[in-house]
Amino acid sequence: MIFYSLRNPEHTVSFRQALLQGIDPKGGLYMPVSLPRISFEPGYQSFNRLCSRLTAQLLQPEVNAKDADTIVEKAFTFSPELKKLDEHLYVLECFHGPTASFKDFGAAFMAQAISAFKPDGETITILVATSGDTGSAVAHAFYRLPGIRVVLLYPAERISDLQEKQLTCLGENITALEVDGNFDDCQDLVKTAFADTALRPLHLTSANSINIGRLLPQSFYYIWSALQVDEPRCFCVPSGNFGNLTAAVMASRMSIPVRKFIAAVNANDTIPLYLNSGKYRPRKSRQTLSNAMDVGNPNNWPRIESLFDQSRSEINKAIQSTSIDDERTLDTIKKMYQRYEYICDPHTAVGMAAAFDYLAATRDNPEMIVVATAHPGKFCSVVEQAIEANCPMPQSLRRLLTIAKRSVKIKNDYEHLKSILLTMNA
Ligand SMILES: *Cc1c(COP(=O)(O)O)cnc(C)c1O
């Protein structure tokens, strides 16, 4: 597969380059030049076998079938689960990985791919600024991989206790630095480090959310679940930066017809407003209960536009975007519990509410698959407030409650970060 840069379409790179660079030198996102057609028999069930076949076909000739198997086997030690809630309603649970959000799929695959592609005998350093979920998925994905060191920067006191423990509990090749500043400060420190030639010996690599090595594998669970559901089918995707929706659209181009994509957003409604009015007005993010979707200027939106040749009318034919506020989110968590005894986290609830709105307004009775992006146990206080009952916790999170928080504090000062990085490499 060959990739081009959205800022500079003449500039094409291999998968390895796109993976290790993350972003092109001019700041453009990478996208596949073309997507192959790959068909599977309806009902095809083994998730890992499907992933191996897709990986081999997408990444040939750079990855052969045997290496594809290895990457997939090592990455996906967990699977998605598809549950039927009602005659036409399914939930695709993508939160059974080590950090209980769908971000584990992208992070795990990217980590194994980087491990397979990095130069032999070299130690590389993954440097990431994180505001929460992404960082913990990345940390768990790279944990104990030989020749790879991970340094995460997170803003002090701006992430939840549980998120902080998820970031800091690992140790070994994972270092989490608590920056005395906000998320933008963390990002600025990372940018400065990437531009600093004195850090060349560390072989810095980014693993942020725009890396194509995270998007491609996210398309796998869409294909896998669609094969088990009749047509016509719709996917409803709780969205923030629109990476997960990009993966869904790529999946439909490669393998599975989809009647409509529902892009469910919270009060951060830049995209539904744009699709209605044609005016793209990015703005500051607003805080909501579904905080992993608090994004005012979604960084994967240019990828969606590229998939539809920049045509808003084509996007509107394929995608419906709906904004759901916090009150409706809480109400939906409660209704899902009463009606189906199903406990949703706030992000998934945004998706459920948008899916119900769509189904109420359409007459063609499609099969609706709503993506559950996080385990409810990650957002217990919100969930318990809505359902007035105890919220279940997966084992991986319950373990964290008992451990003490560990972190290394640093000043919001580049020289301080630089000295820490250089000491690590000494
Ligand atoms: C990151 C995240 C989202 C948003 O996904 P995007 O790919 O950024 O649109 C939704 N829900 C949860 C729980 C997340 O962590």
Side-chain angles (χ1 to χ4, degrees), residues 101-103 133 238-244 292-293 345 347 373-374 379:
S101 89
F102 79 88
K103 294 200 169 71
D133 282 358
S239 295
N241 271 318
F242 282 75
N244 213 5
M293 304 182 345
D345 95 286
H347 305 79
T373 52
F379 300 90

Side-chain angles (χ1 to χ4, degrees), residues 148-369:
I148 302 179
R149 180 193 294 131
V150 177
V151 180
L152 300 156
L153 271 61
Y154 68 94
E157 288 160 32
R158 307 277 172 114
I159 68 175
S160 77
D161 214 36
L162 194 66
Q163 281 178 325
E164 186 168 20
K165 285 183 183 173
Q166 280 188 310
L167 285 179
T168 58
C169 67
L170 296 172
E172 301 197 35
N173 64 328
I174 313 293
T175 306
L177 302 175
E178 180 179 2
V179 177
D180 183 16
N182 60 30
F183 178 59
D184 292 331
D185 297 327
C186 297
Q187 266 187 322
D188 288 343
L189 289 171
V190 167
K191 271 193 207 142
T192 311
F194 274 102
D196 186 349
T197 51
L199 295 182
R200 284 254 169 88
L202 275 84
H203 304 288
L204 292 181
T205 299
S206 84
N208 55 16
S209 61
I210 46 81
N211 195 299
I212 196 77
R214 290 175 53 173
L215 278 191
L216 285 180
Q218 284 175 222
S219 66
F220 300 172
Y221 47 73
Y222 290 100
I223 298 174
W224 174 82
S225 60
L227 293 171
Q228 293 166 66
V229 173
D230 289 337
E231 291 181 49
R233 49 177 107 86
C234 295
F235 276 105
C236 179
V237 186
S239 295
N241 271 318
F242 282 75
N244 213 5
L245 188 74
T246 305
V249 174
M250 294 199 302
S252 75
R253 298 284 169 86
M254 291 191 283
S255 200
I256 42 154
V258 173
R259 172 65 58 90
K260 197 91 175 179
F261 298 98
I262 323 296
V265 299
N266 56 28
N268 292 279
D269 55 1
T270 305
I271 295 305
L273 290 180
Y274 166 66
L275 290 180
N276 277 326
S277 70
K279 298 196 179 84
Y280 189 85
R281 297 213 171 103
R283 36 180 188 198
K284 277 196 149 175
S285 63
R286 300 180 193 171
Q287 271 193 8
T288 72
L289 295 174
S290 46
N291 58 22
M293 304 182 345
D294 291 350
V295 180
N297 186 15
N299 60 19
N300 282 297
W301 186 251
R303 285 188 159 131
I304 298 278
E305 299 222 294
S306 78
L307 286 166
F308 293 93
D309 294 326
Q310 328 294 327
S311 160
R312 185 170 61 98
S313 66
E314 289 302 310
I315 297 177
N316 271 323
K317 276 185 214 156
I319 300 170
Q320 149 111 36
S321 190
T322 309
S323 164
I324 303 293
D325 65 18
D326 276 351
E327 193 185 341
R328 183 92 195 278
T329 304
L330 285 174
D331 191 53
T332 305
I333 297 174
K334 187 171 164 183
K335 287 221 175 89
M336 291 298 296
Y337 186 56
Q338 288 170 343
R339 205 181 295 169
Y340 304 112
E341 285 185 31
Y342 190 79
I343 303 181
C344 292
D345 95 286
H347 305 79
T348 306
V350 167
M352 286 291 173
F356 289 135
D357 284 356
Y358 178 79
L359 292 174
T362 177
R363 256 175 283 145
D364 63 10
N365 256 338
E367 305 299 309
M368 176 63 74
I369 306 172

